[in-house]
Amino acid sequence: MLFDFLQMKCTAGLSSTGSFLLSCHLTCWARKILGLRSFDLQSQKNNKEHHTSEIGSHRLFVRRAQAFVITLNFDRPFNADMDKIVLTAETGPQPTESLGTKVRFVPAKARSGNQWSVSDLNTYENSLQVSLSAPAHAIIGRYLLKVEVSHHPSGRAESYKLGEFILLFNPWSSEDEVYLPSQTLLQEYLMMDYGFIFKGHENWITPWPWNYGQFEDDIIDICFEILDRNLNFLNHPSKDYSQRNSVMYVCRVVSAMINSNDDNGVLQGNWSEDYSKGVNPLEWNGSVAILRQWHATGGQPVRYGQCWVFAAVMCTVMRCLGVPTRVVTNFRSAHNTDGNLTIDMFYDKHAEMMPWERRDKIWNFHVWNECWMTRKDLPPGYDGWQVLDPTPQETSRGVFCCGPASVRAIKEGDIQLAYDTAFVFAEVNADEVIWLQESGQVKEILSHNTNAIGKKISTKMVGSDDRQDITNSYKYKEGTTEERNVFMKASRILLGPIGSSSYPYMERMRTAWFQEKPVKLQLKLAKTPEWGQDLAFFLRARRLQGSEMGIEQLLLNVWLSAQALLHGGNAQTPLWRDKLSFSLVQGEEKELLITLPFINYKDHISDEKLIRLSGVVEIGQTRRKLLVMKDVSLELPHFTIEVSGPAVVNKKLGVSVTFTNTQAETLQNCVLMLEGSGLIDGRMTVNLGTIESGETIQAEVDLFPTKEGSRQLQVLLSCKEVKEIKGYKDIFVASASSP
């Protein structure tokens, strides 16, 4: 109004020099285009509201479907009637509006939920504060933000770069396809930067502490570098970027890029037991060192990984991108390549497990991921946890990746649904059939187990260091009508009508189902199996009443063997054999003590420290053969971790690690490796040298925590003889300002 009044005064020819000069000055001021002097992306405030403060406060990290505020400082006040602003956000190479990689949006009265918007314009002197938001289906990634300022009616315009921001998935927003309506679960599956991976054997489950470190300074940039090196991007970069609004697409890309089978992915797999050209997978403590090494070498695959390493690194990447993710372990996990839901294993008459004749196998355990998302591509009811597996087992649509497969679809046997549901169903539901083989010929069935696959499926319990068994999420209870019905449903989808199967041993297996076993056999440990000690166990045999009625003394000839089990399920040549004979009358039970000396397995077992004891029992009078077996996980030595005093940000924290070599053997080339986000930048290594039998060593280190809150210190003791003596210490770090 003041401007209009003075302009009228000038036009009327008023003679006051002061009035004339003032009116002309203001007329020119009003016609001058706004000049941007500075801007403030308010990273610290926005990041806190968007749950990204842990990533950092010097750059802007925001989430879809949630407003963030920026401030523009001009050289004069903003006039809504004459000054117009248009904001532009661009991502990817050669951004275009047609692909959604470039968007222009103008101020509106309110935020629009399905498009980019700018609203809530507030002025103060020469500053303009605006609220921006991206829709829930926006492409995630790095964006360049620009503002174009124009003046009406002159039409003059100026464009300014406001800097970069990173847009992430938003599980806090009900509009986003990764929405998880639980603060407790979000804290566990998105914000927690450490956790546990469960390894070992179904009867000896070991929690393996892991540093995910998704909020370390450079990890978010490495995550987008991973996306920018995938095959789709290399072939069609603009199209690849345009599809990054879909969590399913991003998950499949990450699943493929964590392994290096098709590309220069993050990790190279190795199950050979020869790790001389890289790092033994057991010696990794966390994802950060792996991702940084991959980045530092220009995207060269890191040597080496196995399933738990692949899954842990994928968990880091997906949590960093904003997708609730957890790591899941399936004990006795089937790798079924021919789609018949049957895993065949072969033994000879001397109780030696033979090399795999086919590519089917049973992993001692296998680790994959679950990511939380909506599945709009599937019928209703299949949202929630989805299996993603970055370990390169089989190709999916031509690429080594797996999933997302709905956990609900797996449980219900709806294996026709995308993606790779049939493969995951077999991993937890296949039948195990064990055959006697002589001279390359299958002679008879030794065992048919319908409940041997998919045992104690595990993940970390929410808010606890304990293990949660989630087997019932994947399948109905073994042996129930529901479980068998689902199995038959899946079999019909895979194999067609019953009787049309191409399974080569079907007729032999059908006849074997009706043969009753005359003797019940069991291998049972006599004491805790410790590495470095003789292994003592019992062979228990009980003759069942009414069996082989025409034979008074049932003669049993027993061949025993022990083989080192590899992680992939294969076994090495026998490291020990034995043979014995005894007889049983009707209803009699005998228990025989057997010893496997340490000297026999000392130099012959794998880093997994897992031994399979097997026995083939031949009934002397009928020549029928039975199988008994037991997998034994050797217990390793332990160490203790102590901290001195309270932990405070940027204050010295003393840590002491004490270890006693309880073994009869000397441990050589011992190295202590420590890691923990918010406690250590990268990794810390302490060389311990040789630790004699019975010797106690104490290593003391000083830490300077950089982040407050709950933290975890992961410690690994590795030596020539043993690679996986692990421990951890939960540490709460107080802020520097705390009293």
Side-chain angles (χ1 to χ4, degrees), residues 507-520:
E507 287 305 317
R508 290 179 183 268
M509 193 164 69
R510 283 173 176 163
T511 57
W513 285 344
F514 301 101
Q515 298 181 20
E516 294 183 358
K517 296 180 180 179
V519 180
K520 183 176 181 180

Side-chain angles (χ1 to χ4, degrees), residues 96-122:
T96 63
E97 294 186 46
S98 61
L99 288 175
T101 51
K102 178 179 180 178
V103 289
R104 290 169 55 86
F105 46 109
V106 298
K109 291 183 179 180
R111 169 179 169 261
S112 174
N114 59 1
Q115 60 187 10
W116 288 78
S117 62
V118 54
S119 59
D120 298 332
L121 277 66
N122 294 306

Side-chain angles (χ1 to χ4, degrees), residues 121 233 250 305 333 354 358 370-371 376 383 401 439 518 538 540 564 585 608 697 713 721-722:
L121 277 66
F233 175 81
V250 172
S333 185
M354 307 299 292
R358 303 181 334 200
E370 287 179 2
C371 294
K376 296 179 181 178
D383 298 338
C401 68
S439 302
F538 293 105
R540 180 180 294 171
V585 298
E608 296 292 328
I697 59 99
L713 177 66
E721 293 76 15
V722 185

Side-chain angles (χ1 to χ4, degrees), residues 668-735:
Q668 304 176 69
N669 303 329
C670 297
V671 178
L672 201 64
M673 288 175 276
L674 301 90
E675 190 169 337
S677 288
L679 298 172
I680 300 173
D681 183 16
R683 288 193 294 177
M684 182 180 293
T685 301
V686 180
N687 290 315
L688 302 177
T690 299
I691 306 176
E692 300 293 339
S693 175
E695 181 183 358
T696 297
I697 59 99
Q698 188 173 65
E700 296 185 354
V701 297
D702 292 331
L703 308 182
F704 291 85
T706 57
K707 292 183 179 181
E708 62 184 78
S710 297
R711 304 292 161 190
Q712 186 185 85
L713 177 66
Q714 297 93 20
V715 181
L716 169 68
L717 175 61
S718 179
C719 58
K720 178 182 177 182
E721 293 76 15
V722 185
K723 298 296 183 184
E724 54 173 325
I725 304 176
K726 290 205 73 170
Y728 71 96
K729 186 74 173 179
D730 291 330
I731 300 174
F732 182 82
V733 181
S735 65

Side-chain angles (χ1 to χ4, degrees), residues 286-524:
S287 306
V288 176
I290 295 169
L291 291 168
R292 285 177 174 169
Q293 181 178 328
W294 178 79
H295 165 72
T297 58
Q300 292 300 307
V302 177
R303 300 174 177 174
Y304 294 104
Q306 292 184 5
C307 64
W308 69 91
V309 186
F310 288 113
V313 174
M314 181 164 183
C315 183
T316 296
V317 174
M318 298 314 301
R319 286 186 182 182
C320 186
L321 296 178
V323 181
T325 304
R326 63 187 185 183
V327 177
V328 173
T329 303
N330 178 39
F331 291 95
R332 303 213 81 232
S333 185
H335 179 179
N336 183 228
T337 59
D338 48 18
N340 60 19
L341 295 181
T342 300
I343 306 297
D344 297 296
M345 298 173 59
F346 302 89
Y347 276 79
D348 69 9
K349 64 180 182 180
H350 298 122
E352 178 181 349
M353 186 169 73
M354 307 299 292
W356 302 108
E357 289 203 339
R358 303 181 334 200
R359 293 181 60 204
D360 288 1
K361 65 178 68 173
I362 301 173
W363 301 84
N364 304 324
F365 66 91
H366 184 54
V367 184
W368 58 65
N369 300 100
E370 287 179 2
C371 294
W372 183 273
M373 68 187 74
T374 300
R375 293 296 301 270
K376 296 179 181 178
D377 61 318
L378 301 182
Y382 297 98
D383 298 338
W385 291 118
Q386 313 288 319
V387 171
L388 277 300
D389 189 351
T391 300
Q393 295 189 85
E394 297 293 327
T395 59
S396 174
R397 304 192 178 187
V399 178
F400 277 97
C401 68
C402 180
S406 165
V407 173
R408 170 79 187 284
I410 296 165
K411 181 172 183 176
E412 299 300 334
D414 295 320
I415 60 174
Q416 75 282 4
L417 299 178
Y419 292 86
D420 310 306
T421 308
F423 182 78
V424 183
F425 180 89
E427 287 184 295
V428 300
N429 281 293
D431 284 1
E432 176 191 44
V433 182
I434 303 176
W435 300 92
L436 178 69
Q437 179 175 286
E438 294 181 7
S439 302
Q441 299 295 317
V442 172
K443 294 297 183 180
E444 61 181 286
I445 189 170
L446 294 174
S447 175
H448 175 208
N449 303 313
T450 62
N451 62 350
I453 303 297
K455 309 294 286 186
K456 294 183 179 178
I457 304 175
S458 304
T459 192
K460 178 185 176 297
M461 187 174 290
V462 175
S464 167
D465 292 349
D466 295 335
R467 181 183 70 90
Q468 180 183 358
D469 193 309
I470 58 171
T471 308
N472 61 359
S473 297
Y474 280 83
K475 56 184 179 180
Y476 292 97
K477 187 176 180 180
E478 295 284 4
T480 63
T481 301
E482 293 89 348
E483 184 268 334
R484 282 291 97 183
N485 286 343
V486 167
F487 184 86
M488 295 308 296
K489 172 184 176 181
S491 298
R492 284 190 292 270
I493 295 173
L494 280 176
L495 306 175
I498 301 300
S500 64
S501 170
S502 59
Y503 179 51
Y505 311 123
M506 180 60 74
E507 287 305 317
R508 290 179 183 268
M509 193 164 69
R510 283 173 176 163
T511 57
W513 285 344
F514 301 101
Q515 298 181 20
E516 294 183 358
K517 296 180 180 179
V519 180
K520 183 176 181 180
L521 301 165
Q522 181 185 15
L523 289 172
K524 180 183 177 182

Side-chain angles (χ1 to χ4, degrees), residues 29 34 71-80 83 122-129:
W29 168 83
L34 276 173
T71 300
L72 307 175
N73 300 311
F74 297 108
D75 56 0
R76 65 170 174 80
F78 175 82
N79 186 319
D83 299 318
N122 294 306
T123 60
Y124 177 74
E125 296 182 346
N126 289 5
S127 297
L128 175 66
Q129 182 174 280

Side-chain angles (χ1 to χ4, degrees), residues 555-568:
L555 178 62
L556 303 179
N557 299 312
V558 183
W559 289 267
L560 294 166
S561 80
Q563 296 173 269
L565 272 185
L566 304 179
H567 172 57

Side-chain angles (χ1 to χ4, degrees), residues 220-233:
I220 193 165
D221 296 310
I222 297 174
C223 290
F224 284 108
E225 182 182 352
I226 289 171
L227 295 182
D228 288 347
R229 288 182 180 271
N230 87 85
L231 292 177
N232 293 339
F233 175 81

